Amino acid sequence: MSDKGKSSTISGFYKLPVEKRVEFVKNFSNLNDEETKLFSSCLDIGIANRMIENVLGTFEIPLGIAVNFLINGKDYLVPMAIEEPSVVAAASNAAKIARIKGGFKTECTDPLMIGQIQILHMDDVFEATKKIMNKKKEILHLANEQDKVLVKFGGGAKDIEVRILDSPIGKMIVTHLIVDVRDAMGANAVNTMCEALAPMLEELTGGKVRLKILSNLADKRIVKAKAVFDKEKIGGEHVVDAFLESYNLAAIDPYRAATHNKGIMNGIDALIIATGNDFRAIEAGAHAYASRNGQYTSLSHYYKDKNGNLVGELELPMAVGIVGGAGNIYPKAKLCKKILGIKTAKELAEIVVSLGLAQNFAAVLALSTVGIQKGHMSLHAKNIAVMAGAKGNEIDKVASQMIKEGKIKLDRAEEIIKKIR
Ligand code: NAD
């Protein structure tokens, strides 16, 4: 139950017509009529034309709501923008199971991003490193001059680290500027600071600055989510064992780990997109983090507790913002942030990682038991029916006939349509 006494748990939500679902979300998140209308609107072409170049129109993907989420004792309805069937249902189901043992618990570092400034062509990289470290105070001061707003909110450049790297073209220095970006994703803020520091670092070192840009391997901005999944609810201890057998392949084999992590990103990307955040940045950070020990591996970790329940943990960098970027421009992204009721970027990051864990648990559970296709079939059958030309009521009729026959094929859908017309 949330602070306001509202619960995100609702049974049969998926059976409700769209209008009733909207009404539920409206009441849960205190949306007004104007905000509610946004669900069925498209992005204004004028806004789109200011966002990117050579605009022709907009591209819509479905927006759904995952229910049942209890994170750090608070109830959330989680908006998900995604085109893949079963993902929203799987997340909702996993969250329902996680609630039994208290839901998701998270931990989070400060929102520290890393900006990289590459310096080349120095006579002595060790001497140059010393000169940079001796001027740390001045460097941080100049960086913070670039973003007084960020500093006002308690953020700003906090530290520098210097790395000497050997490369095929000789030794170089990479200076890392560590910036607390508070409630922003931080790329623009960090890039501006790095560019401003370039002349000062060239003068200090006598070298030439080349790259000046943030790193998407945001490994100082880490979120961990944990949940306990009740063994009885998932079918008994033998299912927990089957789950762990499946998980262990992802832990040791990059071929499986890639697909395992894709399942995590199904949930994560859907919320990242719904809140107008940069999903390429999150993807890049996640996969780089999954390789941090030299071999690509699972981002999540599972084990059995002393009572035989399944414990899941997920840890990854989470560079998300609730101010700045495209999330400030999209009316629907603003709406999704209101649905979540979030106050800080940290809170959003914690929901994102909990959702990733829920998604991963649901996928591995299905794979370890009935297989992934069963859950996919109902929506997949509907999509095939539409592809075959079914309209209105025909879609459900054609889909359920194909599911009954266990034959979900385009040619069969066409035959059924002919028959019922
Ligand atoms: P931004 O510059 O639009 O907004 C951040 C700014 O908002 C801060 O610098 C600060 O001045 C201000 N601000 C106001 N209130 C704040 C608060 N409470 N906390 C923090 N800052 C506050 O956006 P950004 O977050 O710096 O950059 C994000 C954008 O950069 C995204 O759109 C992303 O796609 C893009 N980008 C990404 C990359 C990359 O990932 N490699 C590279 C370049 C650009």
Side-chain angles (χ1 to χ4, degrees):
M1 200 72 80
S2 74
D3 308 343
K4 298 175 206 154
K6 286 178 187 165
S7 171
S8 64
T9 299
I10 170 170
S11 69
F13 188 67
Y14 68 100
K15 290 187 201 149
L16 296 177
V18 174
E19 309 79 62
K20 292 279 175 208
R21 290 189 205 131
V22 168
E23 205 176 297
F24 177 77
V25 176
K26 183 182 180 193
N27 290 333
F28 183 93
S29 303
N30 299 323
L31 307 180
N32 61 35
D33 289 342
E34 208 175 309
E35 287 164 332
T36 310
K37 275 190 206 137
L38 275 175
F39 284 118
S40 49
S41 73
C42 288
L43 181 65
D44 179 80
I45 194 72
I47 298 179
N49 200 31
R50 286 192 296 275
M51 288 175 79
I52 65 162
E53 310 73 32
N54 301 352
V55 163
L56 301 177
T58 57
F59 188 94
E60 302 297 322
I61 55 172
L63 177 69
I65 278 281
V67 295
N68 302 324
F69 272 84
L70 182 65
I71 304 169
N72 300 327
K74 185 174 169 188
D75 265 277
Y76 293 95
L77 290 178
V78 182
M80 298 178 75
I82 186 160
E83 86 299 344
E84 188 174 341
S86 306
V87 173
V88 179
S92 302
N93 195 36
K96 194 173 177 181
I97 299 172
R99 282 184 90 90
I100 299 169
K101 296 280 179 202
F104 298 87
K105 302 278 176 343
T106 66
E107 286 170 41
C108 196
T109 63
D110 280 337
L112 297 177
M113 295 298 283
I114 299 168
Q116 294 196 295
I117 305 159
Q118 178 198 27
I119 316 167
L120 306 114
H121 311 310
M122 287 150 293
D123 298 332
D124 184 342
V125 287
F126 297 99
E127 196 52 36
T129 300
K130 256 195 243 161
K131 284 181 179 160
I132 295 172
M133 290 315 285
N134 286 341
K135 289 281 178 198
K136 178 170 152 178
K137 211 171 140 201
E138 290 79 353
I139 292 171
L140 294 179
H141 179 75
L142 180 58
N144 283 328
E145 284 284 293
Q146 312 308 312
D147 201 333
K148 298 211 168 120
V149 178
L150 187 57
V151 173
K152 192 183 89 187
F153 284 109
K158 301 289 180 189
D159 203 358
I160 51 169
E161 292 169 356
V162 185
R163 299 163 62 211
I164 298 171
L165 299 178
D166 257 325
S167 84
I169 54 162
K171 281 197 176 2
M172 61 179 82
I173 287 180
V174 179
T175 302
H176 281 191
L177 181 70
I178 317 297
V179 185
D180 182 327
V181 296
R182 295 284 90 196
D183 290 316
M185 181 270 180
N188 286 327
V190 170
N191 293 344
T192 306
M193 288 182 181
C194 289
E195 289 191 5
L197 291 180
M200 185 185 199
L201 290 174
E202 283 185 344
E203 197 180 316
L204 263 177
T205 60
K208 169 79 194 149
V209 167
R210 189 64 63 199
L211 295 179
K212 347 171 225 315
I213 186 159
L214 101 160
S215 169
N216 287 111
L217 176 51
D219 64 359
K220 292 185 187 290
R221 196 177 186 178
I222 298 293
V223 181
K224 289 183 197 173
K226 180 176 177 178
V228 178
F229 300 98
D230 183 73
K231 67 175 180 209
E232 300 309 337
K233 189 71 191 169
I234 64 175
E237 202 158 340
H238 69 284
V239 177
V240 175
D241 292 334
F243 187 108
L244 291 173
E245 285 168 4
S246 303
Y247 155 68
N248 271 288
L249 181 59
I252 57 160
D253 176 29
Y255 285 94
R256 171 60 202 145
T259 322
H260 180 92
N261 290 342
K262 190 273 182 185
I264 294 172
M265 303 316 286
N266 273 345
I268 287 183
D269 283 346
L271 178 52
I272 293 295
I273 294 170
T275 52
N277 273 285
D278 183 338
F279 61 92
R280 287 88 52 208
I282 300 299
E283 284 278 349
H287 297 293
Y289 197 66
S291 312
R292 67 193 180 283
N293 295 323
Q295 180 178 321
Y296 187 85
T297 184
S298 164
L299 283 163
S300 60
H301 177 60
Y302 290 92
Y303 55 95
K304 216 194 268 191
D305 71 9
K306 61 180 186 327
N307 301 317
N309 296 309
L310 180 71
V311 185
E313 292 174 350
L314 175 62
E315 173 184 319
L316 75 159
M318 196 41 63
V320 287
I322 58 164
V323 297
N328 234 20
I329 301 168
Y330 273 121
K332 244 180 227 165
K334 288 191 205 163
L335 177 64
C336 288
K337 286 185 271 188
K338 179 154 184 196
I339 292 169
L340 288 165
I342 45 178
K343 303 273 182 301
T344 60
K346 176 178 169 286
E347 190 179 358
L348 174 58
E350 289 171 334
I351 302 168
V352 173
V353 179
S354 301
L355 176 60
L357 178 58
Q359 209 69 62
N360 183 229
F361 161 77
V364 179
L365 182 64
L367 284 167
S368 310
T369 52
V370 292
I372 206 86
Q373 286 308 89
K374 190 168 178 270
H376 265 294
M377 277 311 143
S378 135
L379 282 173
H380 178 60
K382 285 186 190 174
N383 286 339
I384 295 286
V386 172
M387 273 168 69
K391 303 248 178 330
N393 291 343
E394 290 174 357
I395 300 169
D396 280 343
K397 280 188 196 156
V398 175
S400 52
Q401 180 65 28
M402 287 194 295
I403 291 169
K404 212 160 92 191
E405 295 171 3
K407 212 173 173 190
I408 300 164
K409 299 248 157 44
L410 193 60
D411 53 350
R412 182 60 192 139
E414 284 165 353
E415 280 168 21
I416 301 170
I417 293 171
K418 262 192 212 148
K419 215 163 148 194
I420 59 176
R421 274 183 185 166

